[in-house]
Amino acid sequence: MTATLILTHFNELFVPNDPGHPLRGKEMNEATVLKDAYVAFQDDKILAIGEGEVPAELIGPKTKIEERRGMVATPGLIDCHTHLVYGGSREHEFSKKLNGMSYLDILAEGGGILSTLKATRESSFETLYDKSKDLLEQMMIHGVTTVEAKSGYGLNWETEKRQLEVVKKLNEDLPVDLVSTFMAAHVIPPEYKENPDPLIDEIITMLPKIKEENLAEFVDVFCDAGVYTAEQSKRLLEAAKKEGFALRIHADEIESIGGSTVAAELGATSAEHLMVITDEDIQKLADAHVIGNLLPATTFSLMEDTYAPARKMMDAGMAITITTDSNPGSCPMANLQFVMQLGCLYLRMTPTEVYNAVTINAAYSVHREKTVGSLDKGKNADLTVFAVPNLDYLLYYFATNHAAEVYKNGKCIVKDRQIVRA
Ligand code: NIG
Ligand code: FE
């Protein structure tokens, strides 16, 4: 079989292993780095990878061959935790934060997620679509080809549905893959402050409708001090599981109140944040094979020093990913490369662990491991090309966009750091 396009002479090509499960513990520090490498696409699929000269049998009369000397490539990056769709922004709270007001205190006085809730409820489908499209294109420009996106700034059926419909339409219209998560249990509005249980009941009634309209694959809940208790989170996630959803949980971000235990008990796909997780809970997640989705740019933006204990997690045999958490409050940004750099600098991950975290492990975290996340023959031809001399350089030279070119399903979607318009 001959290739349609072959990119040749990459200085380095990062090739993750895909053993049929997310890379756990020591496995996260294993991968192959090919030198003077080529990647051959057959239309929208990976056909072959290798080193040195391209074998003649891959080249046919219609094969395009292009050199990429001086560059490196990885599988298309995967951002597996984002709050992509929302109205407004929160710079009006920035000075409060700089003056030392905490995230939960801003929320308690009606700001934070509650202020985005108001702005999102007031935004039309078109406004949300245009805004999210811009944000998604920023992510693509930074090398991302697959993105998880949550609802959670509506809480009522109408707005949650609108958010998820925006995700669905963006998935149809843009060349990236979107994976959606229903997260109505993102905050407790003042009218339910005393007793959030009726709100949980209400959210549970939305689950069959979300399923019926195929609006989400995952259900997520913010389990933390000032938000949902472990008991409330468990009740909602149990109902979601019965309804056939895969589960995620925002846990141990601000206080450790039992969210990770819920994730382990219910067999959630992932637990998110985990900044203040206990050693005991790390072991529970490792034993239950729950993936830890870590969000170091959130810790950075919250100006905290409680970075998630990534090394302890890997020592305990956990699989972890790192991801932006892109949202208007705790992490207003769209640059996964910066998160990767923080992964090295503050989570103390090795470059190999970081690259595995945003490719193969992130693919498992969004249940797309059969199609993306590695460069195995037959997977989708998703590739990010970086204008750096080696893989370490990308992580060392921080806060710069190194992605020069991005391929999704064999098509070039970003060229010279700009979106390719059809
Ligand atoms: O993952 N922790 C809860 N939710 C988001 C923040 C959302 C917001 O502040 O708007 C997060 O950090
Ligand atoms: Fe989040």
Side-chain angles (χ1 to χ4, degrees), residues 81-83 150 183 186 220 250 272-273 295 325 327:
H81 176 142
T82 83
H83 302 257
K150 301 173 201 299
M183 198 186 176
H186 195 191
D220 197 342
H250 282 58
E272 331 286 303
H273 288 288
L295 313 144
D325 196 20
N327 74 67

Side-chain angles (χ1 to χ4, degrees), residues 78-354:
I78 300 172
D79 197 343
C80 63
H81 176 142
T82 83
H83 302 257
L84 180 75
V85 183
Y86 56 84
S89 55
R90 306 234 284 273
E91 69 277 18
H92 56 279
E93 293 171 359
F94 190 52
S95 59
K96 290 187 183 175
K97 168 170 141 172
L98 294 181
N99 286 325
M101 199 165 169
S102 80
Y103 181 78
L104 286 183
D105 287 344
I106 294 174
L107 180 64
E109 65 161 37
I113 298 178
L114 287 169
S115 92
T116 302
L117 188 79
K118 188 166 179 292
T120 308
R121 284 180 177 177
E122 287 166 1
S123 300
S124 65
F125 178 91
E126 289 70 29
T127 306
L128 290 177
Y129 179 90
D130 290 346
K131 194 170 160 63
S132 312
K133 182 169 177 247
D134 279 354
L135 185 52
L136 195 53
E137 290 189 342
Q138 281 303 312
M139 292 174 182
M140 289 160 62
I141 286 169
H142 287 89
V144 169
T145 50
T146 302
V147 176
E148 186 263 9
K150 301 173 201 299
S151 67
Y153 294 116
L155 266 65
N156 57 30
W157 169 246
E158 196 197 323
T159 318
E160 289 289 316
K161 182 171 183 250
R162 190 155 72 246
Q163 282 189 274
L164 293 173
E165 282 172 344
V166 167
V167 177
K168 200 171 188 175
K169 183 90 171 79
L170 287 170
N171 192 33
E172 287 162 11
D173 296 352
L174 268 70
V176 285
D177 286 328
L178 286 165
V179 179
S180 56
T181 298
F182 176 55
M183 198 186 176
H186 195 191
V187 70
I188 300 176
E191 62 272 26
Y192 288 101
K193 199 81 222 155
E194 294 315 310
N195 180 17
D197 281 309
L199 179 57
I200 304 232
D201 293 335
E202 209 179 294
I203 296 171
I204 289 174
T205 65
M206 298 179 199
L207 296 172
K209 295 192 267 181
I210 298 282
K211 196 85 209 161
E212 212 176 278
E213 301 196 28
N214 199 17
L215 285 172
E217 288 174 48
F218 290 86
V219 171
D220 197 342
V221 49
F222 190 3
C223 177
D224 219 305
V227 204
Y228 293 92
T229 64
E231 218 172 53
Q232 290 158 349
S233 304
K234 188 171 177 184
R235 189 157 77 82
L236 171 61
L237 292 182
E238 263 173 346
K241 192 174 176 179
K242 272 203 199 111
E243 207 59 55
F245 290 96
L247 311 179
R248 309 190 180 286
I249 183 166
H250 282 58
D252 301 323
E253 178 180 358
I254 299 157
E255 283 182 32
S256 175
I257 63 159
S260 291
T261 305
V262 173
E265 281 174 4
L266 298 185
T269 299
S270 63
E272 331 286 303
H273 288 288
L274 310 179
M275 283 156 60
V276 295
I277 189 171
T278 63
D279 292 355
E280 201 186 320
D281 279 347
I282 289 177
Q283 202 52 55
K284 282 186 196 165
L285 293 184
D287 293 345
H289 291 166
V290 177
I291 300 172
N293 286 339
L294 310 185
L295 313 144
T298 304
T299 320
F300 176 84
S301 160
L302 290 173
M303 302 185 292
E304 302 286 353
D305 51 16
T306 45
Y307 283 89
R311 290 249 62 86
K312 271 191 184 177
M313 292 177 191
M314 288 184 284
D315 287 348
M318 267 180 78
I320 62 173
T321 77
I322 49 177
T323 161
T324 59
D325 196 20
S326 182
N327 74 67
S330 64
C331 201
M333 57 89 84
N335 178 355
L336 186 59
Q337 291 171 53
F338 182 58
V339 174
M340 293 161 67
Q341 290 146 0
L342 292 178
C344 287
L345 296 171
Y346 288 100
L347 303 186
R348 305 296 173 122
M349 296 168 74
T350 66
T352 300
E353 288 164 349
V354 162

